[in-house]
Amino acid sequence: MNQAIRDPADNKLGWMLDEALRMPETRYGILLSADGLLMAHSERIGRDDAERQAAGMSGLQSLARASAEFCGDPDTTWRQTVTEFDDGYVFLVAAGPGAYLAVSATQRVDMETVSFRLQELVQRLGKELSTPPRHGPTA
């Protein structure tokens, strides 16, 4: 696994989340592993809160995947879950093998724009998550 995501204290991918959250009405962003470990977080959310949310998002993603049969095929691939609350939305999307991206937004957010931007971010994160760490003088 890439060193940039092994130690959440480093938060080396947090800047990518911050960049994606520059759209109006977004709140927080976290990148998590399938087992609920925090990989990165946006600057608007503290590490402790981000770790707690990562654990919860892992469970939410697991429940969503378990309901695949309800969608018609138990082997279908889960891609995204959007949860609505009185005060806004939580978008949870697949971000590569064993990685998930969660973003919180207000009820006034443009949902289509957020979904589009998250897919763009997933593409960028995919490259970062699959890049092996560099060692030596060129690192």
Side-chain angles (χ1 to χ4, degrees), residues 110-137:
D110 181 334
M111 294 177 68
E112 186 176 344
T113 300
V114 171
S115 291
F116 178 77
R117 290 288 298 269
L118 292 181
Q119 290 308 313
E120 285 183 330
L121 180 57
V122 163
Q123 294 298 318
R124 292 179 66 197
L125 285 169
K127 293 174 186 171
E128 290 293 325
L129 294 173
S130 63
T131 303
R134 297 180 188 171
H135 301 284

Side-chain angles (χ1 to χ4, degrees), residues 57-71 76-83 92:
M57 293 300 153
S58 175
L60 180 60
Q61 176 276 143
S62 180
L63 288 170
R65 278 193 3 239
S67 62
E69 185 175 6
F70 191 64
C71 191
T76 193
T77 301
W78 172 84
R79 294 184 185 171
Q80 175 175 282
T81 297
V82 178
T83 308
L92 180 62

Side-chain angles (χ1 to χ4, degrees), residues 17 21 26-30 42-46 53 102-105:
L17 300 177
L21 292 175
T26 56
R27 290 183 174 128
Y28 315 112
I30 59 173
S42 62
E43 68 180 354
R44 296 183 204 160
I45 187 170
Q53 293 301 326
V103 169
S104 168

